Amino acid sequence: MEGVLERMRSTPASERTGRIDGVMIKTLTLRSDQRGFFTEQVKRGDVDDAGRPFAREQPFAQMSRTLSFARGGNPPELIKAFHWHEHQWDYWDVVSGDARIVLVDLREGSPTAGRVQTVLAGEHSPRVVAIPPLVAHGYQVLSLRDVVLCYYVTVPYSVDDPDEGRIAWNDPRIGYDWSVENI
């Protein structure tokens, strides 16, 4: 992982962006009527937007929810990034507000090692993002509304042995530009 990060430092950002191998996106279908809407977030047998099996063979071990306060500003101020897991898959669904999810492939030997992928998700882009192990991830609140993120994981959290590592949101090896244009 450290080797991937060091190689990223010497590669221009424009050459490190694009789809990351193994990351999957499922755009949600909203079924609406005068009362509101219903959507299926994740179910066995789902496929992603590219037609690949979406729900992993491993069962979900935990479902959690987090709220991040919208603080406004230009660029938006609230950034929660980066963390990664060695074993678990994360399935992220931004159910309220809008966020920019940023993913970084830290896997040695991956065909997309060192690549950065950005996904917009939330009220205006309803989708679930499947994040493989060793793909660092974080997000930035883009809207003036708080962001509520529901996430499902394949390994339960253990305070005594957390499957989690952290990288600073502004790590120069990643060099991600969090600025927002035209808002």
Side-chain angles (χ1 to χ4, degrees):
M1 177 175 34
E2 287 298 318
V4 171
L5 286 166
E6 285 305 319
R7 286 190 299 277
M8 288 180 74
R9 185 192 307 262
S10 62
T11 305
S14 62
E15 296 175 20
R16 297 186 282 112
T17 59
R19 197 180 78 68
I20 293 176
D21 184 55
V23 170
M24 294 178 282
I25 299 170
K26 175 191 169 200
T27 301
L28 300 177
T29 301
L30 305 181
R31 290 173 174 77
S32 303
D33 64 21
Q34 66 275 14
R35 300 166 295 171
F37 73 85
F38 168 82
T39 190
E40 295 175 339
Q41 293 171 293
V42 179
K43 72 177 182 182
R44 189 176 21 229
D46 275 350
V47 295
D48 72 356
D49 291 354
R52 300 171 297 189
F54 188 72
R56 307 306 300 174
E57 292 177 13
Q58 304 149 326
F60 292 116
Q62 182 173 326
M63 177 177 160
S64 303
R65 178 176 60 191
T66 184
L67 180 135
S68 298
F69 296 120
R71 293 166 38 190
N74 185 8
E77 297 172 4
L78 194 115
I79 297 170
K80 293 180 82 172
F82 289 102
H83 75 276
W84 54 271
H85 308 284
E86 191 168 339
H87 303 286
Q88 88 179 23
W89 279 77
D90 279 12
Y91 291 79
W92 279 16
D93 184 4
V94 177
V95 298
S96 180
D98 291 292
R100 171 170 45 179
I101 298 170
V102 180
L103 308 141
V104 182
D105 191 348
L106 302 177
R107 301 169 294 176
E108 288 286 352
S110 166
T112 55
R115 186 170 293 169
V116 177
Q117 181 175 353
T118 303
V119 179
L120 298 178
E123 291 177 41
H124 296 96
S125 299
R127 51 181 53 121
V128 177
V129 180
I131 306 166
L134 296 176
V135 172
H137 45 286
Y139 66 95
Q140 178 179 28
V141 175
L142 292 179
S143 59
L144 296 177
R145 292 191 54 183
D146 298 342
V147 161
V148 175
L149 168 66
C150 288
Y151 56 101
Y152 316 90
V153 298
T154 57
V155 176
Y157 181 78
S158 168
V159 71
D160 297 324
D161 187 22
D163 177 22
E164 187 168 272
R166 298 206 174 272
I167 303 168
W169 67 276
N170 59 351
D171 188 302
R173 296 171 296 180
I174 297 172
Y176 187 77
D177 180 3
W178 292 95
S179 63
V180 175
E181 300 285 327
N182 300 321
I183 63 168

